[in-house]
Amino acid sequence: MFLFERILGISTYMLALILVCFLLVKTNISYKSILRFYLLCLCCMAFFYKPYTTADLYRIFAQMDYFSSMEFGLFWNNFALESSTPIARLLFWLFGKTGINALLPAFSALFCYSLIFYIVRKTKQLYNISNQTVAIVLFFIMTTSMYISVIGGIRMMIALSMLTFSYFRVTVEKKIKIIDILFFITPIFIHAMAFVVIGIMVLTLLFDSDKNVLKKIGYAVTIGLIGGVFVVRFSDTFYGLFEKFLAYVLGDRYSDPWEYIMGIFIIIMLFLVFSEIRRIRRSGDCLEVNKCNIAAVFSVILASIFCFEFSIFYRFGGHLAVMFSIPTMMISIEKTKGQSSTFFKRIDLRTMVILLSCIIAIVSCARGSLCSLKFFEL
């Protein structure tokens, strides 16, 4: 169904990605300018994206039309405040009021990839990463199903990008500002998955080997008190989110074998990265990214434990773990250039990432989520 439209959509997407990677590797154009150009391309493709009737975005468009037909007071009192995700519904209402629903996926692409590319840019600057490595990591990120989740699912990826962005700033850049605090709190009211992600971040801080036992206990007590106050203050919202999460975990019966195959390749690649960054850390180098690495490991473990539930495997293994591992992947590829990998003595990590990324791209474009990308319907 829609074969011609999908072939054209996938071809446009892949040509834009290949062009950007080529510009990064073969030209002297500033990598910041190239990423801005690519961000514009992603936003344009998101604006013209035509979701199928079974897609999340199709249902979101229907919600936007319904919400935007109301005045703000009626909407806020009856639909936003009664929801466990009021900020997400407010976003739907705001963009619905414009009368141009396509602005929502375009905004989601702009917002999410601005934060993701921030992590890429800052990692490059902090650790003197080459443009070639940036191109390799970018190619891997963009060949997964993440883009369809960004422009199709909206809520989940906005929440994840906010959390991983602030987590990177706090753990790697060692700075925290008001925007980071807001970005840690706001996702709770956008998607229920934020609770679990924050839990992963807390566990990472507690398992951080750089801190002594007393500091770990102090962290646990402080976080417990803050969390308790927050739960009491927003008990109804937390209860609604918890019910929604249980339904999400226990009620999901949808499965996609091709996304499972792609997820397995992603996890294999991440394990290669984990092993290489561990070897790099033994030399006392790049210790700042250890927390990102631990968070990615926890995400993969969670995806593996609940692999029988497609949604958890897909979101935690294919999306969250990838976002957490961006700094460690960039550093591992750069630092092990020309060296044999831990598991494959004759192949370096860079070659393995390129090879696995190509396999993931083929699966994603042929049978994965990317194959649903189309910009018109004949």
Side-chain angles (χ1 to χ4, degrees), residues 61-335:
F61 281 168
Q63 282 187 313
M64 291 170 65
D65 292 336
Y66 180 61
F67 291 154
S68 62
S69 66
M70 309 174 195
E71 293 299 322
F72 179 75
L74 178 64
F75 158 76
W76 184 254
N77 291 324
N78 293 279
F79 292 94
L81 291 181
E82 296 298 320
S83 170
S84 58
T85 55
I87 294 179
R89 290 198 167 185
L90 178 60
L91 199 63
F92 296 166
W93 181 86
L94 288 171
F95 279 96
K97 279 295 183 181
T98 66
I100 308 173
N101 289 347
L103 286 174
L104 179 63
F107 165 79
S108 182
L110 175 65
F111 185 83
C112 294
Y113 283 107
S114 292
L115 301 184
I116 291 171
F117 290 170
Y118 174 91
I119 296 174
V120 172
R121 288 191 293 104
K122 287 298 180 180
T123 303
K124 174 178 169 57
Q125 294 171 8
L126 289 171
Y127 299 98
N128 195 27
I129 306 295
S130 66
N131 280 7
Q132 188 179 35
T133 297
V134 172
I136 293 170
V137 173
L138 185 67
F139 185 79
F140 163 63
I141 295 171
M142 301 309 300
T143 51
T144 66
S145 299
M146 196 180 297
Y147 182 68
I148 295 298
S149 295
V150 168
I151 66 174
I154 309 292
R155 298 184 305 119
M156 181 189 72
M157 287 306 299
I158 287 179
L160 293 189
S161 60
M162 293 171 76
L163 289 169
T164 51
F165 166 81
S166 291
Y167 185 74
F168 173 83
R169 282 167 57 88
V170 170
T171 58
V172 178
E173 294 190 88
K174 307 296 183 184
K175 60 182 179 183
I176 182 167
K177 296 184 179 180
I178 294 176
I179 188 174
D180 300 301
I181 297 172
L182 290 174
F183 275 22
F184 279 127
I185 297 173
T186 304
I188 294 173
F189 304 100
I190 296 177
H191 198 280
M193 185 177 169
F195 270 123
V196 185
V197 179
I198 291 172
I200 289 173
M201 294 175 178
V202 171
L203 282 175
T204 301
L205 292 175
L206 294 179
F207 276 84
D208 182 14
S209 59
D210 294 337
K211 293 180 174 59
N212 58 40
V213 176
L214 290 178
K215 283 187 177 181
K216 290 180 180 180
I217 294 173
Y219 266 114
V221 172
T222 304
I223 292 168
L225 289 174
I226 294 173
V229 171
F230 208 74
V231 169
V232 171
R233 177 66 181 84
F234 300 99
S235 57
D236 293 339
T237 301
F238 272 82
Y239 181 73
L241 285 170
F242 182 69
E243 280 191 327
K244 198 167 186 178
F245 178 72
L246 286 179
Y248 156 73
V249 172
L250 302 176
D252 182 26
R253 291 295 177 267
Y254 172 76
S255 182
D256 187 336
W258 292 100
E259 290 289 343
Y260 264 117
I261 292 171
M262 194 164 62
I264 291 170
F265 280 116
I266 290 172
I267 290 175
I268 290 172
M269 185 187 300
L270 293 179
F271 270 117
L272 293 175
V273 172
F274 297 157
S275 64
E276 296 303 325
I277 199 68
R278 186 179 179 186
R279 186 168 66 173
I280 293 169
R281 282 181 53 246
R282 286 193 188 127
S283 63
D285 199 9
C286 305
L287 298 177
E288 301 86 358
V289 299
N290 188 45
K291 296 183 185 68
C292 289
N293 190 55
I294 295 174
V297 171
F298 276 133
S299 301
V300 170
I301 291 173
L302 190 60
S304 301
I305 292 173
F306 293 97
C307 62
F308 53 87
E309 286 292 343
F310 172 73
S311 291
I312 297 179
F313 181 80
Y314 177 73
R315 289 168 171 83
F316 285 89
H319 290 9
L320 184 62
V322 172
M323 295 171 74
F324 274 135
S325 67
I326 290 173
T328 53
M329 183 175 293
M330 292 176 67
I331 292 169
S332 298
I333 293 173
E334 186 69 24
K335 297 287 184 181

